[in-house]
């Protein structure tokens, strides 16, 4: 690859010695720091410095961004600069000193422990981006016929982040096959970021030390009756700074197919350094075409955080699901903000093509069981992909019961494939309704407030008067006919989830 050095991988090691730019003592040049990820790859940061007297200008280049430096100053053998002006609360301050031929740079971030890096002089190519490849003309990618109901499975990111490895994926597959998750419909076992190394001389993507044999891993997962998913980026780097698919879309799709991969999550990340947002559709289409050309059924999951109204074109690029938001975290605030914000885009969900409000946090410990039941209920009403994000090796029976509740899963997976919508909001109480096949309805009565709320539902409001029976899903109780009103109490941050069916069907 021309004109830049890679941030991770074995294939291109930055030559960090013997290239001296500028006069002795002058900081001017490209300084490269390489921090081992622990899997044979490195995370690179390039400091592009420009010394003029006692002032310092330049930029800090990470795999996913290039930030101009502010307030750069030199004082003898020490120097400092910042990532943004002092008024920016997210400003990062860098304090450095010369240490022989190297720079020692301490990164000071608000609320985080200081981190010290060593940087050596790098070649002129260090941190430079590859040449821009113009995005293709738009054309519709034919539907791949997959994901007629929202995909269900597990993904490594929420719990394991960079610690995911072959042994973990096998253990999760074992657990899913044995603990009822597979029987409940969770089929995809998806490896998120940090499996990649660099490329071999023919451009083929390599796995890092954590994944010694991806084909063998796929065989193992398949032998359990499950499917294997993987992750990449249309940019040169993933969000965690690993090798992306930029310029290698066709090679990578072929490699995934040869390994036996069944699902790809494709994450915008560093593509933002090369393309403008309005080019996203064409850039995603490229991988949609490449996956299709392999002839292997591979679910295509778009991850670009809901930008550019992706729900309007995600299906046209061959997408089976598309993220509608930034990253979820394991808090009531994050989950409820995302979940209750999905109403308006409901009409765009349909069999084969789903809005994705991000993966489940159920069981990761940051919410109460009532909140996790709300998370599960809301995602089911939204016809959202159900990708568990917890450690299924150590999952408690209570959490497993939330994840595998058959009635809730049936709401999510209903063949009609219609995303539910908010029918009513009254203070902290929200009523969401999802039409189900056979004229049935799932009704979620949610309480976002801090105290239990009494709620009365009138059959008029629901347009379900006469001839309907009701089931309380979490109580696992048939409640009999729905009368003129139904009164209940919904716990703080909790839900009463009902399925209402016509007695005539
Ligand atoms: C982004 C995505 C996450 C996860 C990480 C991995 O933040 O939105 O879901 O894939 O990248 O680096």
């Amino acid at each position: 690859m021309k004109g830049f050095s890679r941030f991770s991988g074995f294939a291109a090691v930055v030559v960090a010695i013997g290239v001296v730019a500028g006069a002795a003592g002058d900081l001017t040049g490209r300084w490269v720091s390489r921090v081992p990820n622990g899997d044979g790859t490195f995370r690179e940061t390039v400091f592009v410095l420009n010394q003029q007297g006692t002032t310092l200008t330049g930029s800090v280049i990470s795999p996913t961004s290039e930030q101009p430096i502010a307030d750069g100053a030199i004082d003898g053998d020490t120097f400092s600069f910042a990532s943004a002006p002092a008024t920016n609360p997210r400003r990062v301050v860098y304090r450095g000193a010369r240490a022989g031929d190297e720079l020692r740079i301490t990164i000071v971030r608000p609320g985080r422990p200081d981190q010290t890096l060593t940087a050596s002089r790098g070649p002129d190519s260090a941190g430079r981006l590859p040449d821009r490849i113009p995005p293709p003309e738009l054309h519709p990618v034919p539907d791949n016929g997959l994901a007629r109901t929202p995909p269900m499975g597990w993904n490594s990111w929420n719990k394991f982040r960079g610690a995911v490895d072959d042994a973990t994926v096998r253990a999760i597959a074992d657990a899913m096959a044995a603990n009822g998750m597979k029987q409940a419909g969770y089929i995809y076992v998806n490896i998120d970021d940090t499996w990649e190394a660099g490329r071999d001389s023919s451009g083929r993507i390599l796995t890092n030390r954590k994944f010694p044999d991806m084909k063998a891993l796929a065989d193992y997962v398949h032998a359990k009756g499950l499917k294997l998913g993987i992750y990449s980026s249309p940019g040169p780097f993933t969000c965690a700074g690993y090798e992306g698919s930029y310029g290698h879309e066709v090679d990578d799709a072929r490699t995934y197919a040869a390994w036996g991969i069944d699902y790809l999550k494709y994450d915008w990340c560093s593509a933002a350094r090369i393309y403008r947002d309005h080019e996203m559709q064409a850039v995603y289409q490229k991988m949609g075409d490449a996956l299709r050309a392999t002839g292997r059924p591979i679910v295509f999951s778009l991850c670009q955080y809901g930008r550019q109204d992706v729900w309007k074109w995600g299906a046209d690029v061959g997408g089976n699901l598309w993220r509608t938001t930034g990253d979820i975290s394991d808090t009531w605030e994050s989950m409820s903000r995302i979940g209750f914000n999905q109403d308006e885009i409901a009409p765009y969900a349909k069999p084969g093509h789903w809005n994705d409000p991000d993966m489940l946090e159920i069981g990761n410990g940051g919410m109460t069981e009532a909140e996790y039941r709300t998370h599960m209920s809301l995602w089911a009403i939204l016809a959202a992909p159900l990708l568990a994000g917890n450690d299924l090796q150590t999952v408690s029976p209570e959490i497993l019961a939330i994840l595998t509740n058959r009635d809730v899963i049936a709401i999510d997976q209903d063949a009609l494939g219609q995303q539910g919508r908010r029918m009513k909001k009254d203070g902290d109480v929200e009523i969401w309704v999802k039409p189900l096949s056979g004229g049935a309805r799932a009704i979620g009565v949610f309480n976002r407030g801090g105290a239990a709320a009494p709620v009365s539902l009138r059959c008029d409001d629901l347009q379900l008067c006469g001839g309907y029976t009701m089931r309380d899903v979490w109580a696992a109780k048939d409640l009999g006919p729905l009368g003129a009103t139904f009164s209940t109490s919904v716990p703080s941050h909790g839900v009463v989830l009902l399925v209402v069916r016509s007695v005539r069907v």
Side-chain angles (χ1 to χ4, degrees), residues 157 192-193 231 239-240 265 267 269 303 305 323 327 358-359:
W157 186 253
D192 206 277
D193 205 348
Y231 166 99
C239 291
K265 172 175 167 184
D267 195 348
C269 305
C303 178
Y305 336 116
R323 277 272 295 278
D327 290 11
D358 207 356
M359 303 168 295

Side-chain angles (χ1 to χ4, degrees), residues 5 7 30-33 44-48 59-62 126-127:
S5 59
F7 285 86
R30 302 178 88 85
W31 298 85
V32 181
S33 149
E44 265 187 27
T45 308
V46 179
F47 300 92
V48 182
S59 60
V60 179
I61 303 176
S62 79

